[in-house]
């Protein structure tokens, strides 16, 4: 019997009534409940990323309002993600032991309140705005660690892959809508602060939907076992980090997040600078259009990438059970040439630049749902929140928490005090050239994960089956 089984208390009884309970997800009533739960979780994830990238859509206005440079602007995203990652282990621990629904309700409430509070900060209190953005990260961390585990507890196999793909569509869709809503709401009201007053309204609606409509599933029910938590958090962490494919997937996701985090944060302002050089003048309408185009491409490429990556992996894994990490790795490596083209051609070939952005984002977004899916099937149900929190912590610490600030600092270094348009664009371009090289490391890590994915999945399945068998004795 695997070592993990000793840490778990089986809760199944041999009577027919319990067996019906375990398989109740197939009943019509539970299908409706599962669909409602899925819709609500999707909407919250959508708001999560809308809120996160609304700031990027009005970043230049924020810089003018607070009179800050690129390094301080990058710090806004860094402190947000740092608080997000720092609290992830705590929420992972709580998510494996206590009510996940309650955690999500509290998290959405916190991030909605702090987001709208940030819109009222006066221009001489930039430090307060930074503090409020960090608190937004705390609220979002409580949601991100546990939401995928709820989906894993109500769907299995191919249906789980599809539902995780739908859930992860909210990432690019929400990010794109964040750029669009942020830039156009601020333009409509002639004030960037209104960009932060949209998502809290919908956040309040989602809290009501959570309370009224969502029922939390039993941990492990979709996998055929109802397991009660018994092991300590340190024991969970020790067992999770022994899983080789988990470590490699985490490293791969981290390095891809470094690239995506810096590009998504600095992308709109980089392209605005390129358009300004190409047109020879500064136009507020052109700035808004850049954010609109960037948002539309992020939405479209992200949705296509998530769905295409999930479907290709689902079909390929029938012939090759190592298919998921292979698809992730190949997609990332294919995106690298297009990233270089975007950075090198954006000033002189604007239309080509938008095409290359679309292709690169499609390829980079293709791994989001697959990463979550792999995590769910190589980790046993009672450790999934903990594993998610470890991945989130490492991915943000070494990935998109630090990359916006690092890119901002490098950009300021290359500028060397110059303030002309060409120097601003060249310095930011040179800083962003770091991102494709980091992404290459991510693609390689995914390919190495394919060496261990089969044995790690089999070990998790054997653990669940062993608990199930013990419960029948």
């Amino acid at each position: 019997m695997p070592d993990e089984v000793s840490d778990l208390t089986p809760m199944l009884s041999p009577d027919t009534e319990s067996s019906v309970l375990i398989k109740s997800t197939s009943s019509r009533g539970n299908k409706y409940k599962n669909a409602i739960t899925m819709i609500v979780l999707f909407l919250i994830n959508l708001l999560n990323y809308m809120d996160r990238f609304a700031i990027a859509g009005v970043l230049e206005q924020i810089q003018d309002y607070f009179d800050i440079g690129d390094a301080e602007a990058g710090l806004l995203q860094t402190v947000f993600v740092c608080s997000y990652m720092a609290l992830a282990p705590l929420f992972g621990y709580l998510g494996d032991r206590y009510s996940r629904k309650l955690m999500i309700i509290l998290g959405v409430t916190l991030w909605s309140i702090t987001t709208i509070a940030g819109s009222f900060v006066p221009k001489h209190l930039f430090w307060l705005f930074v503090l409020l953005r960090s608190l937004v990260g705390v609220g979002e961390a409580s949601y991100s660690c546990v939401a995928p585990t709820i989906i894993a507890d109500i769907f299995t196999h191919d249906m789980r892959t599809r539902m995780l793909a739908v859930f992860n569509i909210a990432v690019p869709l929400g990010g794109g809508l964040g750029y669009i809503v942020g830039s156009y709401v601020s333009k409509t009201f002639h004030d960037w602060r209104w960009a932060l007053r949209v998502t809290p309204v919908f956040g309040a609606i989602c809290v009501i939907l959570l309370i009224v409509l969502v029922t939390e599933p039993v941990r492990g029910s979709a996998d055929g076992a109802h397991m009660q938590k018994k092991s300590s958090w340190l024991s969970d962490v020790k067992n999770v980090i022994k899983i080789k494919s988990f470590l490699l997937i985490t490293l791969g996701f981290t390095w891809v997040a470094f690239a995506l985090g810096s590009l998504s944060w600095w992308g709109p302002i980089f392209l605005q600078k390129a358009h300004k050089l190409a047109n020879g003048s500064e136009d507020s309408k052109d700035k808004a259009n850049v954010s609109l185009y960037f948002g539309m491409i992020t939405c479209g490429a992200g949705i296509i990438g998530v769905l295409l990556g999930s479907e290709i992996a689902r079909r390929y894994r029938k012939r090759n059970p190592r298919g998921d990490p292979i698809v992730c790795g190949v997609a990332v490596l294919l995106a690298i040439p297009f990233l270089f083209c975007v950075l090198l051609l954006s000033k002189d070939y604007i239309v080509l630049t938008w095409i290359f952005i679309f292709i690169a984002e499609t390829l980079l977004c293709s791994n989001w749902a697959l990463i979550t899916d792999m995590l769910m099937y190589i980790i046993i149900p009672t450790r999934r929140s903990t594993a998610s929190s470890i991945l989130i912590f490492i991915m943000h610490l070494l990935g998109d928490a630090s990359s916006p600030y690092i890119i901002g600092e490098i950009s300021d270094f290359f500028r060397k005090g110059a303030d002309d348009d060409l120097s601003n664009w060249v310095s930011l371009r040179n800083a962003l050239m770091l991102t494709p090289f980091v992404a290459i490391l991510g693609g390689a890590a995914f390919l190495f994960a394919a060496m261990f994915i089969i044995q790690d999945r089999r070990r998790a399945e054997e653990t669940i089956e062993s608990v199930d068998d013990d419960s029948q004795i």
Side-chain angles (χ1 to χ4, degrees):
M1 182 183 300
D3 294 339
E4 291 97 326
V5 178
S6 62
D7 293 334
L8 304 167
T9 302
M11 297 296 291
L12 295 171
S13 58
D15 54 60
T16 305
E17 187 176 346
S18 294
S19 299
V20 172
L21 178 63
I22 295 169
K23 300 180 184 297
S24 61
T25 53
S26 63
S27 68
R28 179 173 295 183
N30 272 14
K31 284 182 179 179
Y32 288 129
K33 287 182 181 179
N34 294 345
I36 290 170
T37 299
M38 187 67 218
I39 291 170
V40 174
L41 293 178
F42 172 84
L43 290 174
I44 296 173
N45 207 29
L46 187 72
L47 287 176
N48 179 352
Y49 283 89
M50 280 184 65
D51 174 78
R52 189 179 301 186
F53 288 102
I55 289 284
V58 293
L59 187 58
E60 195 163 11
Q61 294 95 306
I62 292 174
Q63 286 182 281
D64 293 339
Y65 180 81
F66 288 109
D67 191 24
I68 57 174
D70 286 351
E72 291 87 352
L75 185 63
L76 285 174
Q77 181 73 343
T78 297
V79 296
F80 165 83
V81 181
C82 281
S83 62
Y84 179 87
M85 70 169 189
L87 273 294
L90 172 62
F91 291 123
Y93 171 85
L94 297 174
D96 279 334
R97 289 159 177 81
Y98 302 105
S99 171
R100 293 171 288 184
K101 176 180 173 178
L102 179 60
M103 286 177 57
I104 294 174
I105 290 171
L106 294 175
V108 175
T109 301
L110 177 61
W111 103 50
S112 298
I113 292 172
T114 51
T115 295
I116 199 166
S119 70
F120 294 100
V121 174
K123 61 178 64 178
H124 63 282
L125 295 178
F126 177 66
W127 65 268
L128 180 57
F129 188 68
V130 172
L131 175 63
L132 288 171
R133 290 308 295 173
S134 70
L135 292 176
V136 173
V138 174
E140 292 192 11
S142 66
Y143 169 76
S144 299
C145 291
V146 300
T149 70
I150 293 177
I151 296 172
D153 283 335
I154 58 180
F155 299 106
T156 58
H157 306 304
D158 283 351
M159 182 56 70
R160 179 186 290 172
T161 300
R162 292 190 181 100
M163 290 301 102
L164 287 171
V166 170
F167 178 77
N168 281 279
I169 283 173
V171 179
L173 182 59
L177 288 175
Y179 292 125
I180 295 169
V181 172
S183 61
Y184 272 83
V185 167
S186 64
K187 181 182 176 183
T188 301
F189 290 95
H190 306 288
D191 189 342
W192 66 268
R193 292 175 294 183
W194 281 96
L196 302 184
R197 296 169 185 171
V198 177
T199 55
V201 175
F202 293 101
I205 295 172
C206 284
V207 168
I208 296 171
L209 293 176
L210 273 168
I211 294 171
V212 176
L213 299 178
V214 173
T215 302
E216 183 175 351
V218 175
R219 289 178 180 84
S221 56
D223 294 298
H226 174 181
M227 296 179 288
Q228 182 182 25
K229 196 66 196 176
K230 187 179 178 181
S231 58
S232 68
W233 181 77
L234 287 177
S235 174
D236 288 346
V237 171
K238 182 182 70 173
N239 282 287
V240 166
I241 62 176
K242 287 180 180 177
I243 302 171
K244 295 183 179 67
S245 59
F246 170 79
L247 294 177
L248 287 166
I249 289 166
T250 299
L251 288 175
F253 196 22
T254 298
W255 287 321
V256 172
F258 184 99
L260 271 175
S262 55
L263 290 168
S264 61
W265 186 253
W266 290 110
I269 197 170
F270 172 73
L271 293 170
Q272 286 168 4
K273 293 177 186 295
H275 276 237
K276 184 178 177 181
L277 287 170
N279 297 333
S281 62
E282 186 170 11
D283 186 354
S284 60
K285 183 179 178 181
D286 189 54
K287 286 184 179 180
N289 285 339
V290 168
S291 293
L292 173 64
Y293 299 151
F294 197 85
M296 290 173 62
I297 286 176
T298 299
C299 287
I303 292 171
I304 293 172
V306 169
L307 293 177
L308 197 60
S310 298
E311 187 60 23
I312 291 173
R314 187 183 69 83
R315 292 174 181 271
Y316 183 48
R317 80 166 74 107
K318 293 178 180 178
R319 289 185 294 170
N320 183 355
R322 306 179 194 273
D324 288 347
I326 290 175
V327 170
C328 288
V330 170
V332 171
L333 295 178
L334 287 175
I336 303 303
F338 298 103
L339 289 178
F340 279 118
C341 288
V342 167
L343 296 174
L344 295 172
L345 303 178
S346 58
K347 181 170 67 70
D348 301 313
Y349 302 95
I350 294 174
V351 175
L352 261 182
T353 298
W354 287 116
I355 294 172
F356 289 145
I357 289 173
F358 180 84
I359 296 171
E361 286 200 16
T362 299
L363 291 167
L364 290 174
C365 291
S366 64
N367 58 41
W368 285 342
L370 298 179
I371 289 168
T372 308
D373 197 17
M374 287 187 285
L375 192 68
M376 295 302 111
Y377 66 62
I378 62 175
I379 306 293
I380 61 174
T382 50
R383 293 192 179 121
R384 285 172 180 164
S385 290
T386 297
S388 295
S389 69
I390 295 171
L391 182 145
I392 287 171
F393 180 84
I394 296 174
M395 182 263 289
H396 289 313
L397 176 66
L398 303 177
D400 59 355
S402 53
S403 63
Y405 181 69
I406 290 172
I407 296 301
E409 285 285 2
I410 295 174
S411 176
D412 285 346
F413 171 79
F414 279 118
R415 189 180 299 114
K416 296 179 180 178
D419 198 30
D420 60 284
D421 295 337
L422 182 59
S423 296
N424 288 336
W425 178 79
V426 170
S427 62
L428 188 54
R429 182 203 63 186
N430 291 344
L432 288 170
M433 289 294 284
L434 174 65
T435 58
F437 293 101
V438 177
I440 290 172
L441 298 177
F446 283 127
L447 294 178
F448 277 114
M451 299 170 59
F452 307 101
I453 196 78
I454 296 176
Q455 65 192 54
D456 291 336
R457 181 173 190 170
R458 186 179 297 123
R459 189 177 296 114
E461 290 172 348
E462 288 173 353
T463 300
I464 295 171
E465 289 170 2
S466 298
V467 172
D468 193 3
D469 291 341
D470 286 353
S471 68
Q472 304 298 325
I473 297 176

